[in-house]
Amino acid sequence: MSRNILDRLLLAGFIGLAVLLYISTADYSGIAQKTSAKYVRFLAVSFGGLGAIQLLLSLRNRAADERLDLFGRAGRFFGLLAGLVAFALAFEPLGFFIPAAVFIPVIAVLLGYRNPVVIGLSTAGVLAAVWLIFVQLLSVNLPGPSF
């Protein structure tokens, strides 16, 4: 299977999931129809729209159809998988921000990024955005360290 075909199949699947997510909000009852359903519909429309745009760009792209190499980057894949497991294990005792501050740069280096300034700014930007949006604006209580 070529990379372009797999890309298009996955994008079509994501668009389908976005449609199903949007449709599922019709089953929300009571106050959830006015609150949670609006948020879920926003997410569904956003993900579906972005998926549709990416699918159109992929269909427009006439690049060479290269074969998909599933095992050429197996080390990176299993390293990412191990990093996700380590993040999940550290999440409960250390909260969100400490494991994320370690996880993001480690995974960036594992995936081949080498510029420490870009990695540091990206990590700080993600953590600041999560803090601003979820903690400050939405008042979500993210887990913190439990020493």
Side-chain angles (χ1 to χ4, degrees):
M1 179 179 293
S2 73
R3 176 174 270 167
N4 288 340
I5 292 172
L6 180 62
D7 182 47
R8 292 169 186 159
L9 286 174
L10 285 172
L11 287 168
F14 289 144
I15 293 168
L17 284 173
V19 169
L20 291 174
L21 183 63
Y22 188 90
I23 292 170
S24 74
T25 61
D27 294 335
Y28 288 23
S29 60
I31 191 73
Q33 194 59 246
K34 294 179 181 177
T35 57
S36 299
K38 286 184 180 181
Y39 175 67
V40 173
R41 285 184 190 126
F42 168 75
L43 289 178
V45 169
S46 298
F47 291 141
L50 291 172
I53 291 169
Q54 185 62 36
L55 181 61
L56 291 174
L57 291 174
S58 176
L59 291 170
R60 204 178 107 207
N61 186 7
R62 300 280 184 224
D65 215 19
E66 64 183 75
R67 298 292 299 165
L68 185 62
D69 181 17
L70 293 177
F71 300 105
R73 296 182 178 101
R76 288 183 177 181
F77 172 75
F78 289 114
L80 179 61
L81 196 59
L84 287 170
V85 169
F87 180 79
L89 292 173
F91 188 81
E92 183 69 31
L94 298 177
F96 172 77
F97 290 101
I98 295 171
V102 173
F103 175 76
I104 295 171
V106 167
I107 295 303
V109 170
L110 178 73
L111 294 177
Y113 295 99
R114 297 291 183 252
N115 188 335
V117 173
V118 171
I119 293 171
L121 289 175
S122 298
T123 302
V126 167
L127 294 175
V130 167
W131 177 79
L132 179 66
I133 292 168
F134 290 99
V135 176
Q136 295 299 312
L137 293 176
L138 298 175
S139 298
V140 173
N141 291 325
L142 291 176
S146 56
F147 297 114

